[in-house]
Amino acid sequence: MAIIKELKGDKPVIGDRTFVAENAAIIGSVSIGKDCSIWYGAVLRGDVGAIRIGDRVNIQDNAVLHATYQQSECIIGNDVSVGHGANVHGCIIGNDVIIGMGAIVMDNTTVPDGTIIAAGAVVPSGQKLEPGIWAGIPARKIKDGSEAIQAKAHANAEHYLLYKTWYE
């Protein structure tokens, strides 16, 4: 059974039809929308800052969501995929976004709708990204935003709506 823990009076809220893997940890001020999936080893630690997740979001294996005390919250829009081993820390993620495997997005950064952060990319604190594909360390835009990029991100999130049904 997953670790779903109240902390300092804040109890996680998990939306309808959301799959939570048996070894995921969801702690404190965490709100998860409907039709989401929180995969194996994922940690959503809402102890020092709130974590707010929209609908149809997948937080893949070993991803970590957290924030910085009295400085940031972690806010994720709808139809977002947070890849395996990614770290999303105190930032704002728009709709139809992919955060690639092993990517790091730091505090007070804004990732807009229709954006892909490539696997292994590092987005430093305080960035206001433009739509597109971002890669590297530090991340830089390698492709401008487009309807095709937004559609790819949206489709990736849709795939996880199917995958989670295999586990429910």
Side-chain angles (χ1 to χ4, degrees):
M1 177 178 235
I3 298 168
I4 300 173
K5 183 175 183 165
E6 181 175 341
L7 184 68
K8 299 185 314 180
D10 291 319
K11 184 176 181 179
V13 176
I14 299 171
D16 294 338
R17 299 176 305 280
T18 290
F19 165 73
V20 178
E22 294 85 353
N23 67 342
I26 303 171
I27 301 163
S29 184
V30 177
S31 174
I32 301 170
K34 63 183 179 194
D35 296 310
C36 294
S37 53
I38 312 300
W39 293 90
Y40 296 91
V43 176
L44 285 63
R45 206 175 100 208
D47 56 354
V48 299
I51 297 171
R52 305 286 173 247
I53 298 172
D55 298 330
R56 300 172 304 282
V57 172
N58 59 89
I59 308 298
Q60 297 171 20
D61 310 74
N62 298 315
V64 175
L65 278 59
H66 195 237
T68 298
Y69 184 61
Q70 296 182 337
Q71 294 182 32
S72 62
E73 294 182 339
C74 185
I75 301 170
I76 297 179
N78 299 318
D79 303 296
V80 172
S81 297
V82 176
H84 311 290
N87 289 299
V88 178
H89 203 277
C91 54
I92 298 171
I93 309 296
N95 302 313
D96 298 316
V97 170
I98 296 174
I99 306 297
M101 293 182 278
I104 300 170
V105 183
M106 290 302 299
D107 293 273
N108 302 308
T109 287
T110 301
V111 177
D113 296 352
T115 298
I116 296 174
I117 306 298
V122 176
V123 182
S125 296
Q127 304 299 303
K128 304 290 184 228
L129 304 185
E130 299 172 0
I133 298 177
W134 293 74
I137 302 172
R140 60 183 169 70
K141 187 166 68 165
I142 61 170
K143 190 168 186 178
D144 288 334
S146 67
E147 288 182 18
I149 291 170
Q150 187 157 357
K152 180 177 181 170
H154 186 86
N156 192 78
E158 282 186 334
H159 294 306
Y160 274 83
L161 292 174
L162 170 64
Y163 304 157
K164 76 180 186 73
T165 67
W166 300 343
Y167 294 84
E168 295 175 328

